[in-house]
Amino acid sequence: MMYQRSSALFAEAKKYIPGGVNSPVRAFKAVGGDPIFVKEAKGAYLYDEDGNRLIDYIASWGPLILGHAYEPVISAVIDKALKGTSFGMPTEIETELAKLAVSMVPNIDKIRFVNSGTEACMSAVRLARGFSGRDKIIKFAGCYHGHSDSFLIQAGSGAVTFGSPNSPGVTQGTAKDTLLADYNNLDHVQALVEANKDEIAAIIIEPVAGNMGCIVPQKGFMEGLRALCDHHGILLIFDEVMTGFRLGKGGAQEALGIDADILCFGKVIGGGLPVGAFAARSEIMSHLAPEGSVYQAGTLSGNPLAMAAGLAMLTELNDRPEIFESLADKTEHLHKGLESVLKRKGVPYQINRFGSMISVHFTDEPVVDFKSSAKGNNDTFKTYFHGMLEKGIYLPPSAFESYFLNDALSYADLDETIEALDRLQL
Ligand code: KE4
């Protein structure tokens, strides 16, 4: 396949935009080569600037669960845009989407809309701190909650020490309030809680992780976190930016059978437009301005176009919940097909899957946390990524990402993907 126009567009973009992209993962740094510039998309297919058709497995990193340019979403946005794009005043459609989301997700009475998953998670942590009067949070190595300072933290040395910044610009003062634990390691969390008694406001986690590849919580891990939070008066924040409205109407809480205290959303809730949200029971949300004193705001929060896209998307998912099962079945089909090819090729591999989230890791060790995910052979991954791209399959350009299937994918698309791997020399 030719990518000349994409490369030319990338060279031009780099003159005016840092790294030529507006979000780093798009730049292909982890896999090498120039990123593909997309011209348009419909259903399961991307059409790039060189006229190539690509079967899409990122769905804009999750939002487009029904496929690209889904007609009910598009017409809702067009109709809304004709009436104005933003007012900075309350509109009825914000309440309509809020009511629908509250009806679909367990344990929430109220929801606040923002413009990204980062904003949702950042605001959720501030709310937890304001509600509890405590400063520290626990997050997990390899979990990504957006780019706000409190989350850009790497493990400090030792088991129960503070985090340290993993990006210039994040101060030690911020990092000291973020403690880092290993995913699926309840003892580690217990040690952190014991060493910071009555100082921890919240534990924030991706209930099914998607930013280390897809990593599924092991039996008892999430239940243990819930019990620890109950015992120590810590709020459990589920970052459902990826899993929300993807794993089912009730997201990971429903899929795992675990109650969280604060929920963060993004991606699907905006139907492809910029929407994030955070939600909780009234007792917690009543602390948020203007009702309470925890401040949070946004010029374009609840933007009518974004609300229209989100409402159309969630209405479809709420009316046709069979979509979630159809997606999970398609993901299982893809899993089994890829697995049989990799087994036949004798390549060391792990495939992790939950619902319509899946990832392939080139290692013979089970991938259960960031350390084991990092043991994947990245050279093999790069060969895999570019080889599949050459065959018209667009996968996440990093081994530390999950695939996001969309319901426009046909079984023929899935089989074409499996056959593409079969023809690949790994
Ligand atoms: P945004 O600020 O990118 O909307 O959301 C941040 C975020 C929060 N929580 C989770 C679990 C997330 O996965 C994300 C963002 N996901 C990445 C993909 N791994 C977005 C892609 C990108 O950064 O361009």
Side-chain angles (χ1 to χ4, degrees):
M1 287 186 157
M2 300 304 293
Y3 296 114
Q4 279 161 340
R5 182 150 167 70
S6 276
S7 294
L9 288 169
F10 187 46
E12 183 74 359
K14 282 190 283 190
K15 293 178 194 166
Y16 306 101
I17 302 169
V21 293
N22 286 301
S23 196
V25 73
R26 303 177 193 168
F28 277 24
K29 280 264 185 269
V31 292
D34 289 346
I36 304 296
F37 276 61
V38 63
K39 188 184 187 88
E40 58 188 307
K42 182 67 180 166
Y45 310 125
L46 301 163
Y47 299 90
D48 73 13
E49 288 286 356
D50 290 279
N52 301 309
R53 189 202 80 166
L54 304 170
I55 299 175
D56 181 23
Y57 284 97
I58 68 167
S60 179
W61 298 101
L64 302 168
I65 191 169
L66 298 174
H68 290 279
Y70 191 68
E71 204 292 320
V73 171
I74 299 302
S75 48
V77 171
I78 291 170
D79 292 352
K80 209 47 145 170
L82 294 171
K83 301 183 178 76
T85 55
S86 181
F87 312 108
M89 298 159 68
T91 59
E92 182 181 12
I93 195 167
E94 294 163 75
T95 307
E96 288 176 80
L97 183 54
K99 274 169 73 173
L100 179 55
V102 166
S103 73
M104 293 170 78
V105 178
N107 302 310
I108 64 171
D109 300 318
K110 294 194 176 179
I111 188 166
R112 168 64 59 86
F113 294 113
V114 292
N115 299 284
S116 69
T118 295
E119 260 194 281
C121 295
M122 172 182 81
S123 309
V125 163
R126 183 181 310 135
L127 178 60
R129 286 171 165 156
F131 176 78
S132 65
R134 300 177 181 181
D135 293 345
K136 289 177 183 167
I137 61 168
I138 292 175
K139 77 171 287 292
F140 293 84
C143 282
Y144 178 68
H145 306 293
H147 63 87
S148 73
D149 286 3
S150 293
F151 303 133
L152 297 181
I153 306 297
Q154 63 198 1
S157 60
V160 285
T161 56
F162 305 131
S164 60
N166 78 350
S167 164
V170 176
T171 67
Q172 193 55 51
T174 298
K176 72 175 176 43
D177 288 331
T178 299
L179 307 171
L180 218 77
D182 291 332
Y183 203 85
N184 278 319
N185 186 333
L186 198 54
D187 293 343
H188 197 175
V189 183
Q190 174 96 33
L192 287 174
V193 170
E194 297 298 339
N196 296 273
K197 259 201 178 334
D198 302 331
E199 293 184 75
I200 298 171
I203 293 174
I204 184 167
I205 191 163
E206 292 180 54
V208 173
N211 287 289
M212 307 179 241
C214 173
I215 294 191
V216 182
Q218 290 175 326
K219 191 165 172 31
F221 177 57
M222 228 37 91
E223 294 79 358
L225 289 186
R226 181 66 269 172
L228 263 177
C229 287
D230 291 342
H231 185 70
H232 293 275
I234 296 170
L235 292 176
L236 182 56
I237 302 177
F238 268 11
D239 174 354
E240 293 224 42
V241 168
M242 280 185 172
T243 56
F245 310 106
R246 172 167 282 280
L247 299 186
K249 285 165 96 169
Q253 285 189 105
E254 187 181 69
L256 300 174
I258 300 285
D259 297 337
D261 297 304
I262 302 178
L263 285 300
C264 304
F265 299 108
K267 300 181 192 281
V268 173
I269 197 170
L273 267 66
V275 178
F278 58 110
R281 55 186 187 275
S282 296
E283 176 202 7
I284 297 173
M285 294 301 274
S286 62
H287 286 253
L288 207 54
E291 214 174 313
S293 51
V294 176
Y295 196 69
Q296 181 275 325
T299 303
L300 293 172
S301 295
N303 172 273
L305 302 195
M307 294 292 105
L311 184 61
M313 178 74 85
L314 260 54
T315 300
E316 196 75 14
L317 295 172
N318 193 46
D319 292 351
R320 294 198 294 131
E322 62 274 12
I323 289 173
F324 297 112
E325 196 176 336
S326 153
L327 261 172
D329 292 344
K330 289 177 180 178
T331 312
E332 184 182 14
H333 181 83
L334 180 69
H335 182 163
K336 289 184 171 157
L338 296 177
E339 183 153 62
S340 65
V341 170
L342 291 169
K343 212 171 259 173
R344 198 166 52 247
K345 287 179 179 292
V347 176
Y349 73 91
Q350 302 290 323
I351 298 181
N352 289 355
R353 168 171 60 95
F354 195 106
S356 57
M357 296 169 66
I358 184 172
S359 57
V360 177
H361 304 261
F362 296 105
T363 171
D364 47 19
E365 188 181 315
V367 177
V368 297
D369 58 13
F370 181 64
K371 284 192 197 93
S372 47
S373 178
K375 289 181 180 169
N377 183 320
N378 202 50
D379 288 336
T380 306
F381 181 84
K382 287 159 90 167
T383 305
Y384 167 62
F385 172 80
H386 284 291
M388 295 293 269
L389 181 59
E390 271 309 300
K391 292 170 175 52
I393 313 297
Y394 193 77
L395 303 174
S398 160
F400 297 103
E401 296 290 353
S402 173
Y403 306 8
F404 297 99
L405 272 69
N406 71 74
D407 203 45
L409 284 162
S410 66
Y411 279 89
D413 296 322
L414 302 174
D415 291 340
E416 184 177 338
T417 305
I418 295 159
E419 282 149 30
L421 178 60
D422 203 12
R423 296 199 310 272
L424 209 51
Q425 291 302 320
L426 283 180

